[in-house]
Amino acid sequence: MASAPMDVLRRHAHDAAARAHTPYSGRPAAAVLLLSDGAWVPGVRVESASFSLVIPALVNALSTAVAAGRRDVVAAVLDHAATPDEAAFLATVPDGAFERAAEDAFVRRAGVSLPPASERLDPFLDAPLPASSEDGIALARAVAERALVPESSFPVGCVLAAGGRLVPGVNVEHPDWSRVLCAERNALGTAVSYGLPEAEALYLTCLKDPAGTPCGACRQLLVELASAAVLWMDRGDNAPASAAPSALLPGAFDGRALEPPAGDPT
């Protein structure tokens, strides 16, 4: 007999937690979203040396789905009992609130049968690696149309090249601005959730600002998670501008002096 969708999602969430990036707390966490066609989307906790910039697993999973062009989430399952903060996030997401179904699970509509969990969502772009920075920016412009920006009406898109894959990222907003995730961190979080190696390049566009650059929060995460990448920034009709993450955030704090979790031999 086939397992119930929630039980399958719990197993996927447990497996995904192994990919969490938690060098400072040593407490991995994961979430899995179920889409209306049975595809599922993993998201893991991604920590930053600047603790307030930690990407929670639920936020990571939801932003991955939105950047992939999917907003048809019907359920969410965590690998742990949901905290009040996680429940509050799902109760107020822009595309429709979720209701609690169990201590670790939420559904969009109570009493509605869920589809069987099938294949993991492939969020990557079906396109060849950019032959030029202009090609990469063109992809980022197309991705930016997927942004979920009810608060700012300021769509941002990016494409992260890592391990031969092209990872889309868009800004995903929430009524509580502390829960907003920018395009660059969206793509970085997806790359971690899917176990990709460090990025080689990132192409970024701010559709309403031809001189746009990453915000401070994204600069910090780029230094930590994509230090070797070349960042290409859209300049409208002019050639894209390039920079290394370290050049955008001189003297960035990298967390090497922080104490490892208790019991960690490193």
Side-chain angles (χ1 to χ4, degrees):
M1 185 170 128
S3 299
M6 289 296 191
D7 291 334
V8 176
L9 297 179
R10 287 184 177 101
R11 291 199 295 271
H12 290 321
H14 176 79
D15 292 343
R19 296 190 291 276
H21 177 71
T22 55
Y24 308 115
S25 74
R27 295 192 294 271
V32 170
L33 306 181
L34 182 66
L35 304 180
S36 62
D37 61 358
W40 53 274
V41 188
V44 301
R45 177 180 170 92
V46 179
E47 293 182 349
S48 166
S50 178
F51 288 176
S52 62
L53 300 182
V54 168
I55 304 174
L58 270 175
V59 176
N60 196 352
L62 182 64
S63 66
T64 293
V66 173
R70 300 294 300 267
R71 298 189 185 181
D72 55 324
V73 181
V74 295
V77 171
L78 303 166
D79 75 326
H80 56 276
T83 65
D85 188 66
E86 289 167 328
F89 170 75
L90 287 174
T92 51
V93 289
D95 279 337
F98 288 79
E99 302 176 29
R100 196 160 196 158
E103 67 172 10
D104 62 347
F106 298 79
V107 294
R108 202 137 230 175
R109 288 183 295 276
V112 175
S113 297
L114 298 175
S118 55
E119 299 296 322
R120 185 177 73 170
L121 178 71
D122 180 350
F124 310 116
L125 298 185
D126 184 16
L129 293 174
S132 66
S133 58
E134 288 82 3
D135 290 345
I137 292 299
L139 290 173
R141 288 175 181 171
V143 165
E145 300 294 339
R146 304 173 181 174
L148 180 58
V149 288
E151 300 294 315
S152 70
S153 297
F154 188 79
V156 179
C158 75
V159 174
L160 187 76
R165 301 293 190 96
L166 295 175
V167 185
V170 297
N171 47 337
V172 179
E173 295 182 347
H174 188 278
D176 177 352
W177 277 42
S178 68
R179 305 174 195 271
V180 169
L181 197 64
C182 302
E184 301 93 306
R185 285 179 287 154
N186 179 338
L188 289 167
T190 299
V192 174
S193 294
Y194 280 74
L196 298 185
E198 187 169 339
E200 301 97 39
L202 186 142
Y203 306 91
L204 173 68
T205 185
C206 302
L207 294 183
K208 293 185 176 181
D209 182 4
T213 65
C215 70
C218 288
R219 294 181 188 208
Q220 176 68 33
L221 267 292
L222 285 166
V223 166
E224 292 185 51
L225 300 177
S227 60
V230 178
L231 173 62
W232 293 97
M233 295 166 283
D234 194 354
R235 290 296 175 263
D237 294 334
N238 297 317
S242 67
S246 59
L248 292 177
L249 193 63
F253 179 58
D254 60 15
R256 283 180 292 183
L258 295 173
E259 290 289 333
D264 190 325
T266 59

